[in-house]
Each structure stands twice: as structure tokens, then as C-alpha cells.
Amino acid sequence: MSARIYVPGDAAAVALGADRVAKAFEEAFRARGLEVQITRNGSRGMHWLEPMVEVVTSAGRIAYGPVKARDVAGLLDAGFLDGKGHELRLGDPEEIPFFKRQQRFTFARCGLIDPVSLDEYRANGGYKGLERAIELGGPATIEEVFESGLRGRGGAGFPTGIKWRTVGQTPPQQKYIVCNADEGDSGTFADRMIMEGDPFTLIEGMTIAGVGVGATKGYVYCRSEYPHAIKAMNAAIKVARKAGYLGKRVAGSDYDFDMEVREGAGAYVCGEETSLLESIEGKRGLVRAKPPLPAHKGLFGRPTVINNVVSLCSVPFIMANGAKSYADVGFGRSRGTMPIQLAGNVKQGGLFEIAFGITLGELVEDVAGGTFTGKPIRAVQVGGPLGAYLPRHQFDTPFDYEAFTKIDALIGHGGVVIFDEDVDMARMARFAMEFCAVESCGKCTPCRIGSTRGVETLDKVIAGQDRERNLAVVEDLCHTMKLGSLCALGGFTPYPVMSAITHFPEDFGRGRPLSVAAE
Amino acid sequence: MSSGYAVVGEARGRYEAWSPVRGSEIIADHLAMEGATLPILHAMQGAFGYVPQDAVPLIADALNLSRAEVHGTMTFYHDFRHEPAGKHVVKVCVAEACQAAGGNVTSDRIAKALDCAFGETRPDGQVTLEPIYCLGLCSCSPSAMVNGRLIGRLDDEAIDEIAAECRS
Ligand SMILES: Cc1cc2nc3c(=O)[nH]c(=O)nc-3n(C[C@H](O)[C@H](O)[C@H](O)COP(=O)(O)O)c2cc1C
Ligand code: SF4
Ligand code: FES
Ligand code: FES
């Protein structure tokens, strides 16, 4: 067997120079007459160490990072291919504390295997879940997912099993599985990472959903900002189809299921499920009023399961290991694990999958190691552009849907964006309103007009014009948007705005910092 | 020998000139799809660098839609350009995680280095600068996409490289 190294092909690693590193290795191996296989794997999620290169040695895999193209010759001279010492040597990647502390249920294979090798996927537990689903049949599969307690990871946290039941109970007809891979939230990249690093997991998850509810066709609606993910998914779909895991009589069973990828076109609101369906149908991404639910009348008017990438990717583990092994971990009504994404001004940024219940403070201070600027953390935005800004005195909040709701916040898709003390919260509040104005689908007035008025009014506050009166106008606008918007774009934009005003009043010219007073 | 999966950034910048024949070919390639409008618009932009006005009636006819519907769809989405892009396309992330990492300063510097405002194509047609809301590189921000290539942790050196690339 020839030597083998791994250089991530994950977009974050590539953005930090992984393609150049891979090319430098290839050239060096050729020049030195070495026969070495270079595998472009996914990322293990420790992005501050990317590009993190791994070599297979007799003592297992040894990691080095962050590697630059100019380090390659030195690494080879130091005995990198035998896992020998070098200042970039990190040792066994799974022993790195950030990695070791995790519970990688969903991301177990991400970074471990060749993303488009079906053999490696299967050798690492892949397709065990589908086999069991086929054995159990549709209704029992749905109940298994229900029993696991899995809730939608796209943001709303709705029980996945209930959604599947609703579609499963509609009479047999053309039904669809739609995967929401629009991942528009700033601070999130879990969907991207698993589509690039372990695309078969999503294919398997969608196929299981198809078996569960009796759907034969799936669509992955992926944002256009993710060209790497789109190519990886397309490559994996082709492989799966060729091997009989997609198409007629999937894996030799009586079920048919096939799928394709559709590319978004840069509209944040198309992550909202009904807007997304309109978009696949080729229309403007206007949000639909509910009812009817997509489960009854979804894509092309047919019963449709629409789930986030991570929700669907959690299913193969649940089916392979049983609902109980998933439900056994977690906190309160938040069962299982959450891939949390640590981003922004962060020292150790990346993806951290762990059971619900870890506190926000543990995450941002211990796991992430604080800010890369070395300055104290002042605010953390959780849950993307519609999520609240949390001050230090809320850092004891456990990562749990209900605990966040209780403090007027949301965990959304699990993005955690860290800001240091240089942040201007009035500017962030204005940005939230501006984002809503830019991305509003235009269907309802509070969102369309309210956000534009919000920007204008916050500009006045920032300019010091009639502050109290204008802040009262902003609060009033937020109230109207919250109650009068059709979807969460207009309805939740008040969270970042109001949390900024409430917890950081000094940035709005309102006296003493509350966050200090409360401590 | 190389396995696994990777895309190497592809330099864009050279597009075909619009022709109704090419436009009709692109449409024909997608007619079998359910909901073909977005895939066709993407393919048009891929071929011509923008969606030419003349493509709209062709698409409408082929899909049995009104021109207004196709026009409405095209203008709803930020991705679709109505005019040819510059030779180089620079997209800089302006979303929260990039702002947290100093993105506001970085994006001002890029605009200055390229001598181009956000949302515009420089009059000499050399570069188009666009804001983008998140590239999924939020753990290594601020980030940008230059001619389809991703760049994380933008620093002054990276900005100089981008400016140099856009001079070529
Ligand atoms: C403005 C807006 C944007 C959204 N963006 C996304 C997104 O990018 N990805 C996602 O999975 N869900 C997004 N959602 C939530 C979806 O509407 C929906 O709840 C989700 O796809 C359901 O899947 P789940 O139950 O698996 O989470 C968004 C919602 C709104 C209101
Ligand atoms: S709240 Fe905004 S985005 Fe949502 S339906 Fe209304 S106008 Fe559209
Ligand atoms: S449509 Fe999902 S919250 Fe309104
Ligand atoms: S916020 Fe800039 S890459 Fe995500």
C-alpha cells in the first residue's frame, strides 16, 4: 500500500490555502519520486488549524497545521510521512482537546473519509440506517425518528417525526423530500461542511425520509454561495446512483428514490420554507401564507417534507443506532446533539458538535478560547441575523431551545458569533434592520416598510438626534414587526435590535451600561 | 495520485457574446426539468456573464409564462445581473461574523484598493465589486470570493493580491 495523506477540500480550508498546499505536496512527491496518495477530505472542524494536513502512519493518523505551501519541503525533510516531529505537528487529531470533548454523532465521518468514496462511507457505518429503515418500513421508520426527539435544526426546532407523520398520513401520490440547504445565517457553516465532507450522509438521510413517508423524489436547494458544496453533492449523487443507492429499487429494496440539487440565487428569504418551494418552482421567493402546510400542499402542490440539512443528516445515526442512543443525550426537551458553529472574532473557530445543555459561557470562553484579538468578549449573537445579542451576564444560559426562548433569544441553526469590546451595538442594530430591508420578500408591510423606517430612525439615534423619542419609535416599530409579519424575517428582526438596545443601552446614548449594573 | 473531492477556483471573466441561437440552446437543455426557470437563468448568466434582456421573452415563450413573470423572477434574486459584469468579480462578505472580525475596515480598504464602490462596475469594465451576505467562512473571517476563488482571513497582503489580480 502506498503512503496516504489528507489535505482538506473543505471551502474554509481552501479559503486558507489548502489547494495550494495540495499542489505543493503533489509537486514535491513527484520531484522526490514518492508514490503518495493525496485525498481531499472534509474538515474536522478546527478551522484555526486549517489547512490541517493528516498523514496515515503505523501509529494512526497524525495531523499537522496550519500548513502553508511553503512549509511542505520542510515537513517532508522532517519525516512528515512517518509522522515525525515538526513545529506544526499536532499529533492524533482526535486527541486535540477541542475535538476530544465533542460528541460527534452527525459529523462522525466528516474529515475522516474520502467524501465521495462509497466504500469508505460504508466501511464507517454508512447506509446501516437505510438498511434498517427498509427493514422496518415507512411507519416504523417515522416512529423511530419521532422517538429520538429530533427537532428541526434549521431554526424553528419543530419535531421532525411529527412533520414526517403528517406527510406519511397523506394518501399515496407523488410526494417530495426537500432539503433546505440555503444556510443564509451569518455565523453558520454546518450544512456546508457536511455536504462537502460527508455528502452521502445527506443522501442517506433523504432516502430514509423518502422510505418513511413514501416520497420518490428529493431536491436539495443549496445557496449559490456554496459552489464547493454543490459540486460535492452532485459528485456523490452520481456515485450513489451508479451503485444503486439512488434510482429505482434503492439498495435492492422495493423503494424508489432519486434526487437532484437546485441552486439558489442569493435571496436570504428563500431559506424560509415556503419561499424556498416557490423558488424551486421557478417563481419569485414570496413567502406563502399557511395553511396549507407544506406537508399537505408543498412543492408543486404535493405533500412535501422540508427539512434542514443537519436535521436530515442526523437521521442515519438515529436509524443505525436506535432512537434511544440519540435521545439519551441532551437537555430538557432538546434531545441529541447540535453542531455548534463558533465564528466571528474567535480564537478557536470551527464546528463543535455536542449534546444540548452546554452553557454559552463554556462555549465561547473555554471551547472557543475567547477572541482572536485577545480583547474581552462583549457580545455574542446566537442564531444568525434574526438572533439576539447576548451580554456576558447571560453566558450561563444552557444551549437549549426553551432556555433561549425564555431570555428572548433563539439558538436557530446553532451559529455563535463572538464580538469583542470594540463592537458598536447601535451599528449592529442598524445592520439588522438594514438586512431585513434588503432581504424582505415584500409581501407584508411591517417587514417591508418597518425595516426601512427602522434604518432611518436608528440613523437618527446614531446621529444623536432626539434620541429618546426616536428609540421609542424603534421600539414601536419592533413591536409592530413582531406581531404583524407573516414570517420570521420581519417577525424576528426585532430580536437583535431590541436585545442590543436592552443590553447595551450605553451604545444608544442611554446612560449606564445595564450589563454591568446587573453583575 | 489524488482522490477525494476538490474544486479549484476557476477564473471567470471570459464570456460568450449574447446570441438568440445560443440562448435557445441553453433553454432547450433545461426544458425537461420541473421548475426550469432558475436553472435557465443561472445557465444564461454562466454563459454570458449576465442575463440579457433579450433572453426574457425566449424563456417566457419556452416555459409558457408571461414576460412579466420571468422578469419578476429574474429581478427578485440578487444573483442575476442585468448588465455585463466587469472582467474581474470581487464579492466581499459584509455580514455579522465578518464585521465582528474587522470586516468594515477591510471592505472599505478593498473598495479603495480597487477604486470601485460596492454594487458597481468600474467604468473601465475591469472590475465589479459586490457585497455578499455570508460565504460560510465565518470562522475564518473576514472573507471574500474573487473570480470564484475563496479567500479567508483577509489581511492587507491578501487585499494587495486581489488588487494586483484585478489589474491584469
Ligand atoms: C427568513 C428565514 C430564513 C430561513 N433560512 C433557513 C435556512 O437557511 N435553512 C434552514 O434550514 N431553515 C431556514 N429557515 C427555517 C425554515 O423556514 C424551516 O423552518 C426549516 O427549513 C424546516 O426544517 P427543519 O424542521 O429541519 O429545521 C428560515 C426561516 C426564515 C423565516
Ligand atoms: S415578514 Fe418580510 S420576508 Fe416574511 S413574508 Fe413578510 S415581507 Fe416577506
Ligand atoms: S413561516 Fe416559519 S416562522 Fe413564519
Ligand atoms: S459572515 Fe462572512 S462568511 Fe459568514
Side-chain angles (χ1 to χ4, degrees):
Chain A
M1 196 185 83
S2 70
R4 184 175 190 189
I5 70 165
Y6 293 85
V7 182
D10 173 272
V14 168
L16 298 172
D19 284 348
R20 286 182 204 171
V21 172
K23 194 156 162 262
F25 271 113
E26 208 177 294
E27 281 164 8
F29 293 146
R30 201 178 311 123
R32 294 176 192 220
L34 297 167
E35 182 73 27
V36 181
Q37 184 184 354
I38 303 174
T39 296
R40 304 301 303 271
N41 57 335
S43 169
R44 300 261 199 174
M46 296 175 277
H47 292 159
W48 77 100
L49 299 173
E50 291 291 0
M52 188 176 92
V53 178
E54 294 175 43
V55 57
V56 182
T57 73
S58 51
R61 278 159 77 157
I62 302 292
Y64 296 77
V67 176
K68 291 208 157 63
R70 62 169 176 269
D71 298 322
V72 167
L75 277 167
L76 290 173
D77 291 342
F80 155 83
L81 286 178
D82 300 311
K84 294 221 176 97
H86 186 278
E87 57 177 350
L88 296 178
R89 188 179 189 275
L90 301 164
D92 180 345
E94 302 191 1
E95 289 297 321
I96 297 172
F98 183 97
F99 192 94
K100 198 165 181 188
R101 203 171 159 182
Q102 299 182 48
Q103 286 157 296
R104 287 174 84 98
F105 288 6
T106 305
F107 279 74
R109 283 175 295 258
C110 187
L112 186 68
I113 62 169
D114 176 343
V116 290
S117 162
L118 195 52
D119 290 341
E120 291 185 20
Y121 181 70
R122 295 189 34 150
N124 288 277
Y127 277 120
K128 292 244 160 46
L130 178 66
E131 281 162 24
R132 184 144 171 270
I134 290 170
E135 217 176 273
L136 291 178
T141 295
I142 294 175
E143 288 320 299
E144 190 79 20
V145 171
F146 176 79
E147 289 299 323
S148 77
L150 176 65
R151 293 166 70 175
R153 301 291 189 240
F158 187 82
T160 305
I162 296 184
K163 200 180 266 190
W164 289 21
R165 259 189 209 156
T166 312
V167 178
Q169 283 160 2
T170 59
Q173 59 188 295
Q174 177 66 59
K175 300 181 191 179
Y176 294 100
I177 308 298
V178 172
C179 170
N180 189 338
D182 202 49
E183 198 164 63
D185 291 359
S186 163
T188 66
F189 39 81
D191 299 349
R192 176 184 69 64
M193 278 184 63
I194 201 142
M195 288 190 287
E196 292 171 1
D198 193 15
F200 290 121
T201 298
L202 178 55
I203 298 174
E204 184 180 352
M206 288 178 71
T207 310
I208 294 170
V211 169
V213 305
T216 52
K217 173 91 202 211
Y219 286 98
V220 180
Y221 184 88
C222 184
R223 66 201 301 255
S224 60
E225 292 85 347
Y226 284 178
H228 290 70
I230 292 171
K231 288 206 181 172
M233 283 311 308
N234 279 326
I237 287 171
K238 221 184 240 175
V239 172
R241 203 176 278 141
K242 209 164 155 200
Y245 279 102
L246 285 175
K248 297 261 172 239
R249 305 179 56 85
V250 165
S253 71
D254 293 331
Y255 297 95
D256 299 343
F257 189 77
D258 210 335
M259 59 189 276
E260 65 180 88
V261 179
R262 284 298 171 89
E263 189 176 343
Y268 176 76
V269 73
C270 287
E272 194 283 332
E273 55 191 16
T274 60
S275 164
L276 188 153
L277 297 176
E278 291 284 305
S279 187
I280 297 182
E281 291 179 10
K283 301 182 210 146
R284 301 162 68 90
L286 291 185
V287 172
R288 296 179 187 166
K290 285 185 260 191
L293 293 172
H296 292 131
K297 274 188 185 344
L299 188 63
F300 303 110
R302 304 294 188 162
T304 301
V305 166
I306 175 159
N307 274 131
N308 171 256
V309 174
V310 174
S311 314
L312 289 161
C313 287
S314 305
V315 169
F317 176 94
I318 292 166
M319 293 310 296
N321 298 280
K324 190 169 175 305
S325 54
Y326 195 77
D328 271 351
V329 307
F331 184 96
R333 292 206 289 119
S334 309
R335 307 315 308 168
T337 61
M338 182 78 189
I340 295 166
Q341 300 125 86
L342 301 165
N345 188 341
V346 58
K347 193 163 160 212
Q348 301 189 144
L351 181 130
F352 186 81
E353 181 179 351
I354 193 149
F356 284 94
I358 187 170
T359 67
L360 185 58
E362 276 177 277
L363 276 171
V364 297
E365 304 278 14
D366 305 347
V367 177
T371 64
F372 75 70
T373 48
K375 295 181 183 175
I377 300 177
R378 179 151 182 253
V380 174
Q381 187 180 29
V382 183
L386 309 176
Y389 285 98
L390 306 178
R392 297 191 72 93
H393 74 257
Q394 292 184 326
F395 281 11
D396 57 350
T397 312
F399 222 80
D400 160 55
Y401 293 103
E402 280 68 38
F404 268 65
T405 307
K406 225 182 273 168
I407 59 165
D408 268 340
L410 48 116
I411 64 175
H413 186 47
V416 173
V417 178
I418 300 175
F419 293 79
D420 74 9
E421 58 191 15
D422 289 340
V423 66
D424 176 351
M425 294 308 299
R427 192 173 171 156
M428 299 321 294
R430 183 197 184 277
F431 180 82
M433 279 290 188
E434 186 188 24
F435 185 74
C436 181
V438 172
E439 299 297 335
S440 169
C441 84
K443 189 154 177 167
C444 42
T445 321
C447 169
R448 192 183 68 230
I449 310 287
S451 54
T452 304
R453 283 275 288 135
V455 174
E456 292 162 6
T457 316
L458 280 165
D459 275 338
K460 289 184 193 155
V461 172
I462 291 167
Q465 219 178 313
D466 240 341
R467 276 201 165 128
E468 278 310 315
R469 217 178 47 114
N470 279 312
L471 279 172
V473 173
V474 172
E475 281 165 15
D476 204 46
L477 278 170
C478 281
H479 189 71
T480 309
M481 287 170 72
K482 211 167 163 175
L483 298 179
S485 296
L486 183 59
C487 88
L489 182 52
F492 286 11
T493 293
Y495 281 120
V497 176
M498 287 310 301
S499 59
I501 297 175
T502 307
H503 301 307
F504 306 92
E506 64 275 23
D507 287 17
F508 297 81
R510 266 186 174 171
R512 216 153 71 87
L514 257 194
S515 45
V516 172
E519 265 167 15
Chain B
M1 184 169 53
S2 181
S3 61
Y5 168 71
V7 200
V8 178
E10 38 203 297
R12 303 228 180 110
R14 271 174 202 82
Y15 296 107
E16 303 169 42
W18 160 255
S19 85
V21 176
R22 240 337 246 140
S24 300
E25 264 172 34
I26 290 172
I27 294 170
D29 286 346
H30 294 87
L31 274 185
M33 289 176 121
E34 293 180 304
T37 314
L38 258 69
I40 291 175
L41 291 170
H42 273 301
M44 292 282 179
Q45 182 147 314
F48 309 114
Y50 69 115
V51 184
Q53 229 0 277
D54 291 348
V56 172
L58 292 185
I59 300 171
D61 277 352
L63 299 182
N64 223 346
L65 299 168
S66 73
R67 288 178 192 197
E69 279 171 295
V70 177
H71 182 80
T73 299
M74 177 178 132
T75 50
F76 182 85
Y77 297 95
H78 301 307
D79 273 5
F80 300 124
R81 285 194 203 93
H82 314 166
E83 284 158 29
K87 182 172 169 201
H88 300 281
V89 177
V90 178
K91 301 183 184 190
V92 180
C93 177
V94 298
E96 290 92 336
C98 284
Q99 292 187 43
N104 293 321
V105 176
T106 313
S107 43
D108 287 348
R109 276 196 198 139
I110 292 179
K112 203 167 283 164
L114 297 178
D115 189 22
C116 186
F118 274 88
E120 291 186 6
T121 298
R122 218 165 65 190
D124 65 1
Q126 189 70 13
V127 51
T128 297
L129 179 60
E130 292 174 347
I132 193 165
Y133 293 97
C134 195
L135 288 161
L137 306 174
C138 329
S139 53
C140 31
S141 47
S143 67
M145 187 187 250
V146 178
N147 294 324
R149 214 182 60 249
L150 297 172
I151 307 173
R153 287 201 203 108
L154 280 169
D155 53 15
D156 288 343
E157 193 187 328
I159 295 173
D160 287 345
E161 279 176 28
I162 295 171
E165 182 173 342
C166 292
R167 274 192 293 272
S168 68

